Each structure stands twice: as C-alpha cells, then as structure tokens.
Amino acid sequence: MLSKKTKYGIKALTFLARQENQIPVAIADIAKSENISVKFLESILLLLRHSGFLGAKKGKGGGYYLIKDPKEINMAHVYRILEGPVALLPCASHNFYEKCADCTDETSCAVRKLMTEVRDNTLIILENNSLADIAF
C-alpha cells in the first residue's frame, strides 16, 4: 500500500508543476489546496528539496518551487525517494535485495516469482511517467 508520505509528496509535486512561471508557493497554500497537514507537508517538501526536485525561497513571497522541468522528473525516482524500494519483498528487489529468512529455495519460490513480476510491471509504469505526464 502506498504511504501517505508518498501520496502527499506526489500531490504536492503535481500542484507545484501546475503553477505558472514556477513562482514560490507557501507551504500553507499547498497544504490547504491538497488537504494535507502543514507539519507533515513540511517534512515531505524538505525531503524533496534535499533530493534535488525543489528549491525554496525564504521571506515574503517565499515558498517552494520546482527546480527541474516536470518532464525531467521521473516518477520512479520520486517513488524511491519517498517510499523506498519498489519491490514488495526484499528478495524481489534490485536495489535493496535481501534473502528471506524462511525461504529454502529462491529459484522455485512462487511468492518471489509473483512479487518480481509485480515489481517489474510497477517499474514499467513508474519509469514511463514523468511529473509532466501525470500533472497535465
């Protein structure tokens, strides 16, 4: 299941992508528009800023804005920053692989086979969508 952090992060990014001239938007404005707690949104936007998606301006007229073109923001990258591994099981992960403690034979494990297929198809969708694709 998708975490609220990831859901709200994607909602905030799409909100910012739809802003004309990429002017800074106050956290309170994003939170109100997207029905997100300001405090929770602050931590999400800070993470997205440190990950290179957002810039921030302090003071009057300040807020957050995209520093990359929405076409250049790949949703697989966003997902991994906010959610972590795409795979639902560590044994099906490319980047965070771990052998399952209860598994006796990975090559014949039906659960691993299914979860690898889920991961592969999820990655296809995420990698083939940019922020521009979902925001407009």
Side-chain angles (χ1 to χ4, degrees):
M1 187 177 304
L2 192 69
S3 69
K4 285 187 178 185
K5 177 172 113 177
T6 302
K7 179 181 177 182
Y8 294 164
I10 293 170
K11 286 176 73 169
L13 285 171
T14 56
F15 178 87
L16 290 170
R18 292 177 180 143
Q19 301 306 302
E20 292 185 24
N21 303 322
Q22 293 306 312
I23 58 169
V25 180
I27 293 174
D29 294 340
I30 302 168
K32 183 177 179 184
S33 173
E34 300 302 318
N35 198 27
I36 305 169
S37 149
V38 172
K39 190 154 184 78
F40 192 32
L41 184 58
E42 283 176 345
S43 66
I44 295 167
L45 294 177
L46 189 61
L47 176 60
L48 292 170
R49 181 173 169 240
H50 290 299
S51 299
F53 296 117
L54 302 177
K57 180 182 174 191
K58 293 183 179 183
K60 187 176 179 179
Y64 283 90
Y65 56 94
L66 292 177
I67 57 173
K68 288 186 174 182
D69 186 307
K71 292 176 190 167
E72 296 174 11
I73 298 177
N74 181 275
M75 295 314 296
H77 190 201
V78 171
Y79 184 94
R80 284 187 176 115
I81 295 294
L82 295 169
E83 192 72 26
V86 174
L88 299 176
L89 289 176
C91 67
S93 178
H94 280 302
N95 300 324
F96 302 95
Y97 171 84
E98 286 182 31
K99 184 177 178 6
C100 294
D102 61 337
C103 190
T104 56
D105 183 14
E106 272 187 356
T107 58
S108 65
C109 179
V111 177
R112 181 175 191 259
K113 182 180 177 191
L114 177 65
M115 292 302 107
T116 299
E117 188 175 344
V118 169
R119 178 211 62 212
D120 290 346
N121 285 289
T122 302
L123 269 174
I124 289 169
I125 294 166
L126 291 171
E127 288 175 346
N128 288 312
N129 278 281
S130 70
L131 181 57
D133 294 324
I134 67 168
F136 303 106

